[in-house]
């Protein structure tokens, strides 16, 4: 009898630890995640061209991309897979140089988790970043 009480007590403890605040209690690696990304063109007169989605961001404009899907790894503001932002090949159009900083979440500013697994990120294209960009592959 004591073994069955101990077994049920451990089972109850295991399930109660997953009751609140656990996004992946079943351990299947599914984290429903949302993100809003603001790509701001703060250059004086460069057009930022997004080649995969065929969009342009004029100087002074903002492109907003949303992500609403399941990730296999729990993301954070400092460890978010930028590869899921499907429109992520950006170049300074007339110079044909690419902005590789968009592939590293550390180069995004205003990284916020506004709710559990709901994020906001901002990437700003600037004249300084343009000067450091390199010819696209």
């Amino acid at each position: 009898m004591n073994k069955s009480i101990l077994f049920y007590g451990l089972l109850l403890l295991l399930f109660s630890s997953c009751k609140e605040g656990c996004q992946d209690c079943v351990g299947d690696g599914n984290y429903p995640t949302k993100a809003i990304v603001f790509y701001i063109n703060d250059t004086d007169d460069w057009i930022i061209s997004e080649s995969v989605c065929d969009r342009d961001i004029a100087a002074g404009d903002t492109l907003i991309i949303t992500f609403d899907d399941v990730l296999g790894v729990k993301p954070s503001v400092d460890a978010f897979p930028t590869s899921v932002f499907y429109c992520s090949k950006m170049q300074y159009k007339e110079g044909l140089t690419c902005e590789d900083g968009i592939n590293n979440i550390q180069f995004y500013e205003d990284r916020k988790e506004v709710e559990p697994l709901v994020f906001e990120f901002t990437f700003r294209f600037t004249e300084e970043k343009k000067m450091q960009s390199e010819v696209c592959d």
Side-chain angles (χ1 to χ4, degrees), residues 23-114:
Q23 288 85 23
D24 186 26
C25 291
V26 295
D28 61 358
N30 291 316
Y31 295 94
T33 304
K34 295 181 181 182
I36 298 174
V37 185
F38 301 91
Y39 291 108
I40 301 172
N41 184 350
D42 259 353
T43 65
D44 293 332
D45 57 3
W46 290 95
I47 294 174
I48 309 301
S49 178
E50 201 299 310
S51 60
V52 175
C53 295
D54 195 28
R55 298 182 191 174
D56 289 340
I57 313 169
D61 282 349
T62 300
L63 171 64
I64 300 171
I65 293 176
T66 59
F67 173 81
D68 186 358
D69 208 342
V70 176
L71 294 176
V73 177
K74 186 174 183 180
S76 71
V77 293
D78 294 322
F80 197 95
T82 59
S83 60
V84 301
F85 304 146
Y86 60 94
C87 293
S88 61
K89 179 95 171 152
M90 305 253 185
Q91 64 188 22
Y92 298 90
K93 191 169 188 172
E94 292 167 27
L96 295 177
T97 58
C98 285
E99 178 54 67
D100 292 328
I102 61 172
N103 298 317
N104 183 339
I105 200 65
Q106 299 303 315
F107 290 103
Y108 288 67
E109 57 189 60
D110 298 327
R111 299 186 309 263
K112 299 180 219 172
E113 186 170 8
V114 294

